[in-house]
Amino acid sequence: MFEAAELGRKISKADYDAAVPQLRADLLVAQTALRSTNCPVIVILSGADGAGKGELVNRLHEWLDPRGVESNVFGAPSDEERVRPYYWRFWRTLPPRGKIGIFFGSWYTNPIIERVYGKTKNAQLDQELTRIAFFEEMLANDGTIILKFWLHLSKKQQRKRLEKLAGSAKTRWRVTPTDWKHLGLYDKFVKVSERSIRRTDTAHAPWLLIEATDSRYRELTAGRALLDALRRCTANVSAKDDGKSPQAPPLVAVTSEPSATAHEIAAEPTSAATAIVREPTILDRVDLNQQISVREYEHSLPRLQARINRLAREAHQKNLSTVVVFEGWDAAGKGGTIRRLTAAMDARNYRVISIAAPTDEERAHHYLWRFWRHIPRSGLVTVYDRSWYGRVLVERVEGFASERDWKRAYLEINDFEEQLTSHGTVVAKFWLHISRDEQLRRFREREEIEYKRYKITPEDWRNRGRWDAYNEAVNEMVARTSTHAAPWTLVSANDKKLARLTTLRTLCDTIEAAL
């Protein structure tokens, strides 16, 4: 593979000087057009030590508008990065839509180095490469343009380059003992790198091998490849705008006070004449008739809170992090359950993240970005009041995500949670289930009691009118994302007291098993 790149390609200074002005002008035009698209652009720079990766980064910054470029250098993980899943450091630096992110070092660096140094076997390397390929495919499906440049030098060229840098007082600082060590491991690096490139060279994220002997050839080749990618992105957007794409159905307009008709429609079950016979779902198996006495609740709640307090302190001491996800019907009691949970823990060791409609900053990234950024460091707890499952629930039902987008989200979510649990994070997911009649009772109660009135919104009534669609979405969500490492717990929540005890007890058991 690399032999094909060793062609001694060079560009004369005259040809380089003649080509650069037009290339720079074209890049700036394309970069300006990129800002009005939904495309983030990722440029990955990898390759041999001494191949000029740093020089190329500087050149791209010179040719582009720096206000639209973010460069990220990845060396050894920081303390903040080591206490979180490996991909956290990459997710938090992904560029927003309309901008370019240059990655000097990337998710390829550690797997390749560990294999070269013999810390892993080929099977482990292949496993990491499979994850990388899935990660890049996920970003590409979301509209990200991924450019991967591998700057290649032969062993002779690499040695010559390092000796030249080391021989000058001005550049000696750029050559480290690690560079000389990697030169001695050149053949191993070539073998492992070729394997990595072959297994991750895809249509949506192809590798471009650039011979790096001649700096002018290296820079023009990379610049032209970036220009082509930017133009393809803007051309694709223009083509979509010119074509006739199906429009999402308009959202139902709801006044600040739900009308009696809206209440009546939402309250009434489907009539016998229009009833649709359906197969029982997973939710139908939840026994909603379960109840608990006030006496038993008042006896058990303090004991469970004491237990969760002890387990949370022990988990903190042992650097075991926990992610708790709460989903459920409107008025199912998520807020009250979360209050009973957090009341038992040290406020310094947990965060509650309430998920609402995404902000402009969040919409500019992949939908998982806003959840990755809140992943707790080792020993801490993050509670999500609604979560990434919005992609396959509200976004699916309300048409905010295309069918293609929400269908692929199941695999993306499972991969996300697998990364959390592989890192050692406890993932506990709860669906609080109530009957349609109980929801109606709670809605009416909220309207009648002044201090509860803020909890009921026109959106709640509108969602209730789509109960069957949400029921179908929840059933599929549970079936496709309840895994061995991160199972769903379906909580019978018609009785709020029982739901709180069930949730606390299950969470205690889960953390205790992990400890």
Side-chain angles (χ1 to χ4, degrees):
M1 179 186 295
F2 287 137
E3 287 77 2
E6 296 177 19
L7 301 176
R9 294 182 179 179
K10 292 184 178 182
I11 291 180
S12 69
K13 185 177 185 303
D15 290 342
Y16 178 83
D17 291 341
V20 166
Q22 187 62 51
L23 177 59
R24 292 183 66 175
D26 291 342
L27 280 170
L28 288 172
V29 170
Q31 185 184 8
T32 301
L34 178 71
R35 291 171 183 159
S36 62
T37 73
N38 285 326
C39 299
V41 175
I42 291 176
V43 179
I44 295 175
L45 293 179
S46 296
D49 295 332
K53 296 186 287 291
E55 295 170 11
L56 181 55
V57 170
N58 292 335
R59 189 66 72 203
L60 291 177
H61 272 276
E62 178 186 334
W63 289 350
L64 296 164
D65 183 346
R67 294 170 295 181
V69 182
E70 301 172 355
S71 286
N72 302 283
V73 180
F74 296 99
S78 66
D79 291 342
E80 277 291 296
E81 292 167 340
R82 277 194 294 269
V83 295
R84 289 180 172 87
Y86 177 64
Y87 275 75
W88 180 80
R89 67 193 311 221
F90 305 119
W91 272 98
R92 63 198 294 262
T93 55
L94 292 178
R97 305 186 194 281
K99 290 196 175 184
I100 300 170
I102 298 177
F103 285 64
F104 190 179
S106 65
W107 37 87
Y108 287 94
T109 306
N110 194 58
I112 290 176
I113 289 178
E114 289 202 338
R115 181 67 191 101
V116 170
Y117 277 74
K119 296 180 180 180
T120 58
K121 301 293 185 182
N122 278 339
Q124 293 167 289
L125 172 62
D126 291 344
Q127 186 177 14
E128 286 300 318
L129 296 176
T130 299
R131 167 147 287 157
I132 287 172
F134 182 82
F135 177 54
E136 292 176 348
E137 181 181 8
M138 180 171 57
L139 296 179
N141 285 335
D142 193 55
T144 302
I145 302 298
I146 303 174
L147 288 173
K148 300 186 297 192
F149 298 145
W150 188 277
L151 308 187
H152 178 62
L153 289 175
S154 67
K155 190 173 185 178
K156 179 180 179 180
Q157 293 164 344
Q158 186 179 32
R159 181 184 298 278
K160 184 177 179 180
R161 173 89 170 172
L162 293 177
E163 288 174 346
K164 181 179 179 181
L165 291 172
S168 170
K170 294 181 179 180
T171 57
R172 191 173 299 147
W173 59 273
R174 295 173 57 183
V175 182
T176 68
T178 301
D179 294 327
W180 292 114
K181 185 175 182 179
H182 286 180
L183 177 63
L185 295 169
Y186 180 89
D187 293 337
K188 288 186 178 180
F189 266 105
V190 166
K191 185 176 181 180
V192 174
S193 298
E194 283 189 341
R195 186 184 189 96
S196 301
I197 290 172
R198 283 198 308 270
R199 292 176 178 267
T200 56
D201 186 35
T202 59
H204 52 264
W207 279 102
L208 176 60
L209 271 60
I210 302 175
E211 189 195 2
T213 306
D214 181 68
S215 61
R216 292 187 287 267
Y217 172 79
R218 177 187 67 213
E219 292 168 4
L220 283 183
T221 302
R224 287 166 175 164
L226 176 57
L227 176 61
D228 288 344
L230 296 179
R231 284 175 168 171
R232 286 198 306 274
C233 179
T234 52
N236 289 340
V237 171
S238 299
K240 290 180 181 178
D241 290 341
D242 293 338
K244 294 183 179 180
S245 57
Q247 298 296 313
L251 298 180
V252 178
V254 185
T255 59
S256 58
E257 289 295 332
S259 65
T261 303
H263 281 67
E264 183 178 349
I265 292 174
E268 287 298 321
T270 307
S271 65
T274 60
I276 299 175
V277 178
R278 62 174 177 83
E279 293 295 325
T281 67
I282 295 173
L283 294 181
D284 292 331
R285 302 172 188 171
V286 180
D287 183 3
L288 295 177
N289 295 319
Q290 300 177 74
Q291 291 183 336
I292 193 172
S293 67
V294 174
R295 180 178 180 181
E296 184 176 353
Y297 174 73
E298 292 178 347
H299 173 76
S300 299
L301 179 62
R303 293 173 179 268
L304 285 171
Q305 288 178 320
R307 185 181 172 199
I308 196 69
N309 178 275
R310 174 179 59 80
L311 290 169
R313 283 188 285 110
E314 186 177 350
H316 180 66
Q317 293 167 358
K318 295 184 177 181
N319 291 323
L320 178 72
S321 54
T322 303
V323 167
V324 187
V325 173
F326 282 96
E327 295 282 358
W329 296 106
D330 293 331
K334 295 183 292 295
T337 303
I338 290 172
R339 285 196 297 275
R340 271 66 180 185
L341 167 62
T342 56
M345 296 189 293
D346 186 336
R348 294 169 295 182
N349 294 337
Y350 73 83
R351 291 181 65 197
V352 177
I353 307 297
S354 295
I355 301 302
T359 64
D360 289 343
E361 181 187 19
E362 291 167 341
R363 278 195 294 268
H365 292 84
H366 190 283
Y367 76 95
L368 286 176
W369 177 83
R370 66 171 172 158
F371 305 109
W372 265 102
R373 65 199 299 222
H374 294 302
I375 292 301
R377 59 179 296 151
S378 297
L380 302 185
V381 178
T382 296
V383 179
Y384 287 93
D385 182 3
R386 299 200 184 277
S387 67
W388 42 92
Y389 285 98
R391 174 54 60 106
V392 296
L393 293 177
V394 64
E395 292 185 40
R396 166 184 173 171
V397 175
E398 303 297 338
F400 298 150
S402 69
E403 183 175 0
R404 178 174 175 268
D405 287 342
W406 64 255
K407 280 188 172 180
R408 73 165 185 262
Y410 298 115
L411 284 176
E412 295 172 353
I413 288 170
N414 286 339
D415 179 75
F416 171 40
E417 293 176 351
E418 182 184 354
Q419 291 187 59
L420 299 183
T421 56
S422 296
H423 178 70
T425 301
V426 173
V427 177
K429 304 183 301 192
F430 299 98
W431 174 266
L432 272 59
H433 188 48
I434 58 176
S435 68
R436 192 169 183 174
D437 290 341
E438 176 62 17
Q439 185 188 61
L440 178 61
R441 186 192 70 77
R442 294 183 186 182
F443 277 14
R444 288 174 170 166
E445 180 185 66
R446 288 180 174 184
E447 288 188 326
E448 293 168 1
I449 300 176
E450 185 173 356
Y451 67 85
K452 288 188 176 183
R453 201 165 293 155
Y454 77 95
K455 292 184 175 183
I456 187 72
T457 67
E459 188 76 11
D460 295 329
W461 284 105
R462 192 173 67 82
N463 290 345
R464 177 173 166 78
R466 300 186 178 183
W467 180 281
D468 290 339
Y470 275 102
N471 192 75
E472 179 183 352
V474 173
N475 181 68
E476 187 170 0
M477 173 194 78
V478 173
R480 298 186 65 174
T481 62
S482 191
T483 63
H484 176 74
W488 278 102
T489 299
L490 305 181
V491 180
S492 175
N494 268 11
D495 185 334
K496 290 183 179 180
K497 301 184 295 299
L498 176 64
R500 293 164 186 168
L501 296 186
T502 302
T503 301
L504 289 177
R505 186 176 294 112
T506 302
L507 183 58
C508 286
D509 292 344
T510 303
I511 296 176
E512 196 167 59
L515 289 169

